[in-house]
Amino acid sequence: MLIIGEKINGTRKQVGAAVVARDADFIQDLARRQAQAGATYLDINAGTGKTEPDDLVWLVQTVQSAVDLPLCVDSASPAALRAALPFCTQTPLVNSISGERARLEGVLPVVAELGCPVVALAADDSGIAKDVEGRLAVVERVLQATRAAGVADGLVYVDPLVLPLAGLATSGTVSLEAMRAVKERFPEVNLCIGLSNLSYGLPARSLINRVFLAFAVQAGLDAALVDPTDTALMQELLAAEMVLGRDPYCRRYTTAYRQGAYGFSAKPSAASSGLDAAR
Amino acid sequence: MLIIGEKINGTRKQVGAAVVARDADFIQDLARRQAQAGATYLDINAGTGKTEPDDLVWLVQTVQSAVDLPLCVDSASPAALRAALPFCTQTPLVNSISGERARLEGVLPVVAELGCPVVALAADDSGIAKDVEGRLAVVERVLQATRAAGVADGLVYVDPLVLPLAGLATSGTVSLEAMRAVKERFPEVNLCIGLSNLSYGLPARSLINRVFLAFAVQAGLDAALVDPTDTALMQELLAAEMVLGRDPYCRRYTTAYRQGAYGFSAKPSAASSGLDAAR
């Protein structure tokens, strides 16, 4: 599972200001904290200003001089991507294309030329469909385009997207079903998800996001765009993989616990409570 | 979803001592705390001593005079069940029969006679099968027996059981698949689960139990034998039902949050953080 740290995002106020001010300390601190928390990729987004190409190049260099992680370069601007991608020292993931015409015509050629893996959002110029079939129709069109451009399915990370549950009760299940359907129809394609829209407008958002993440893992998720410093979320992810039989001998889980990773604080008593006597 | 509070269990040291000493305050406190925490049933188990029939009658009466909840009467003794069930003021759930010959021959006639719903464990005299087919074979045999005894499928709560993940990496998935298969083959039958064996021998057990519970809800769970005072578990359950589209308008979730139920402590800021800007 790729854990893509989401925090270096120039559309967030503080990060945007740090990019403008070339505040390397602020950015590098965000990078280091996410790496330490367990991120295996870092998303970097320089905002959408006129100086985006220069800003994105600066971000790539600034982050890479702080941490040794591959980057998820997050931009809708072909010019910014063309400027920044050559500075990546490890193969970057490009975030993102979609069924939107401008993105597909602008970003896809860059990705195809450089041979980068790319996130593909299940949205088009009419927005995000409310049902599974609508999402899949967009995914199919995007995959036709990536294939036509010579991008192998294995380089594509489909993000089925999530709408806010507060507005659509079936939002979670639609996204989960779309994930299963994508894996079934396009077995080489990877699945990626950004979580936070799901809980928009609801309280205790981290709880909702992590429960959905566990279901997404079950549905075949390969990459998650998350806040890796949310330790409850990281613990849920680790436990979900173990419960789903993907952690032989529970080794990753018990090692993380012993090492105090993901906010675990090992207590001698926690492991020693006995077999439940209810039965 | 039936939330069956598991804490009044005489095979646990303190509870067993309270039963022997007829310490009504101790038992009633456990009953009230579980009811307040959100239990909709209370499991009561008087231990397995020679005085079990009298002990179970005392427990039924003691618990019922403290809380207004139906009981899940937990005993393998036909004599104890026959003694205690008539004292239940609301239809009790009997916990349990299984494929074990003694339980089937002893407890099933009591259940059939009184028309009570009953938990049926997917185990027999050779123990708990490690694979889905083995569990299902036992379930089928038990259901043949319940049907033959005139107990409708809708009165049966099949518990597929869980083995410790520490000894069997597929333990979670076997139980989840067994649940799905039971619902498919016997659509009238209900599903019940006791969680805690899954995490036996592992640290941070509550985390593992609640993640599995979310998957079990997805697999069609109707009743869970849990510690309702585990607020993280209750929150996970609430969030799982909402994420799975079973909480129209998010009403149960937001109401619980506003009322500070399940350990939620409403903070004005939690609901007001904006739509994630990553995309």
Side-chain angles (χ1 to χ4, degrees):
Chain A
M1 176 78 58
L2 312 185
I3 310 284
I4 308 169
E6 70 183 9
K7 294 177 85 79
I8 302 177
N9 190 315
T11 66
R12 289 174 174 164
K13 211 169 167 182
Q14 275 196 299
V15 176
V19 171
V20 169
R22 295 292 187 262
D23 183 347
D25 286 348
F26 181 89
I27 299 295
Q28 291 178 334
D29 179 57
L30 273 183
R32 282 192 202 96
R33 282 198 289 121
Q34 291 182 96
Q36 198 160 26
T40 56
Y41 271 74
L42 293 183
D43 191 83
I44 57 166
N45 178 317
T48 55
K50 280 179 199 158
T51 56
E52 190 186 347
D54 287 346
D55 294 347
L56 198 57
V57 169
W58 177 77
L59 263 188
V60 166
Q61 295 180 309
T62 301
V63 170
Q64 283 182 162
S65 65
V67 299
D68 185 27
L69 286 181
L71 303 180
C72 179
V73 183
D74 187 353
S75 171
S77 156
L81 290 169
R82 277 192 196 281
L85 292 174
F87 287 95
C88 293
T89 54
Q90 302 183 57
T91 306
L93 180 59
V94 173
N95 187 8
S96 57
I97 56 171
S98 73
E100 291 166 276
R101 198 165 164 180
R103 283 212 181 189
L104 212 47
E105 289 177 0
V107 176
L108 180 53
V110 182
V111 167
E113 193 184 314
L114 298 174
C116 297
V118 63
V119 175
L121 309 178
D124 63 12
D125 291 298
S126 58
I128 303 172
K130 287 195 176 175
D131 59 1
V132 177
E133 285 313 311
R135 302 278 170 98
L136 286 177
V138 175
V139 169
E140 276 173 20
R141 256 187 293 124
V142 173
L143 286 170
Q144 274 169 15
T146 53
R147 286 169 174 182
V151 176
D153 282 4
L155 290 177
V156 180
Y157 285 75
V158 165
D159 182 338
L161 297 173
V162 282
L163 288 167
L165 270 173
L168 182 71
T170 56
S171 171
T173 51
V174 164
S175 299
L176 294 169
E177 280 173 41
M179 292 175 78
R180 287 199 176 86
V182 167
K183 278 281 181 188
E184 207 181 291
R185 296 193 200 177
F186 308 102
E188 302 296 314
V189 162
N190 304 285
L191 292 173
C192 176
I193 197 83
L195 295 173
S196 34
N197 284 357
L198 184 76
S199 56
Y200 176 65
L202 292 169
R205 296 185 64 178
S206 164
L207 167 65
I208 302 167
N209 295 348
R210 68 179 174 258
V211 169
F212 179 75
L213 180 60
F215 290 132
V217 168
Q218 190 186 36
L221 194 70
D222 300 287
L225 187 72
V226 296
D227 174 3
T229 67
D230 179 343
T231 55
L233 182 133
M234 296 295 277
Q235 291 182 9
E236 182 105 3
L237 182 59
L238 196 67
E241 290 184 320
M242 181 173 68
V243 165
L244 294 170
R246 302 177 192 172
D247 183 5
Y249 308 105
C250 308
R251 202 163 283 158
R252 257 181 301 143
Y253 182 87
T254 51
T255 303
Y257 185 82
R258 254 200 328 270
Q259 295 178 342
Y262 306 140
F264 279 124
S265 55
K267 288 168 216 131
S269 65
S272 63
S273 60
L275 188 60
D276 182 63
R279 291 287 157 80
Chain B
M1 175 78 57
L2 311 186
I3 310 283
I4 308 169
E6 71 184 9
K7 294 177 85 79
I8 302 177
N9 190 316
T11 67
R12 290 173 174 165
K13 210 170 168 183
Q14 274 196 300
V15 177
V19 171
V20 169
R22 295 291 187 262
D23 183 349
D25 286 349
F26 181 89
I27 298 296
Q28 291 178 335
D29 178 57
L30 273 184
R32 282 193 202 96
R33 283 198 288 121
Q34 291 183 95
Q36 198 160 25
T40 55
Y41 270 74
L42 294 183
D43 191 84
I44 57 165
N45 178 317
T48 55
K50 279 179 198 158
T51 56
E52 190 187 347
D54 286 345
D55 294 346
L56 198 58
V57 169
W58 177 78
L59 263 188
V60 166
Q61 294 181 309
T62 301
V63 171
Q64 283 182 162
S65 64
V67 298
D68 185 26
L69 285 181
L71 303 180
C72 179
V73 183
D74 188 352
S75 171
S77 155
L81 289 170
R82 278 191 196 280
L85 292 173
F87 288 95
C88 293
T89 55
Q90 301 182 57
T91 306
L93 179 61
V94 172
N95 188 6
S96 57
I97 55 171
S98 73
E100 292 166 275
R101 198 164 164 180
R103 283 211 182 190
L104 213 46
E105 289 177 0
V107 176
L108 180 54
V110 183
V111 167
E113 193 183 313
L114 298 174
C116 296
V118 64
V119 175
L121 310 178
D124 64 12
D125 292 299
S126 58
I128 303 172
K130 288 195 175 174
D131 59 2
V132 177
E133 286 313 311
R135 300 280 168 99
L136 287 177
V138 175
V139 170
E140 276 173 19
R141 255 186 294 127
V142 174
L143 285 170
Q144 274 169 15
T146 53
R147 286 169 173 183
V151 176
D153 282 5
L155 289 177
V156 180
Y157 286 76
V158 165
D159 182 337
L161 297 172
V162 282
L163 289 167
L165 270 172
L168 182 71
T170 56
S171 170
T173 51
V174 163
S175 299
L176 294 169
E177 280 173 42
M179 291 176 77
R180 288 200 175 84
V182 167
K183 279 279 182 189
E184 207 180 292
R185 295 193 201 179
F186 309 102
E188 303 295 315
V189 162
N190 305 284
L191 292 173
C192 175
I193 196 84
L195 294 172
S196 35
N197 284 357
L198 185 76
S199 56
Y200 176 64
L202 291 169
R205 296 185 63 176
S206 164
L207 167 66
I208 302 166
N209 295 348
R210 68 180 174 257
V211 170
F212 179 75
L213 179 61
F215 290 131
V217 168
Q218 190 185 37
L221 194 69
D222 299 288
L225 187 72
V226 297
D227 175 2
T229 67
D230 179 343
T231 56
L233 182 134
M234 296 295 277
Q235 291 182 8
E236 181 105 4
L237 182 58
L238 196 66
E241 290 185 319
M242 181 173 67
V243 166
L244 293 170
R246 302 177 193 172
D247 183 5
Y249 308 104
C250 307
R251 202 163 283 159
R252 256 182 301 143
Y253 181 88
T254 52
T255 302
Y257 185 82
R258 253 199 328 272
Q259 295 179 342
Y262 306 140
F264 279 124
S265 54
K267 286 166 219 131
S269 65
S272 64
S273 60
L275 188 60
D276 183 63
R279 289 289 156 81

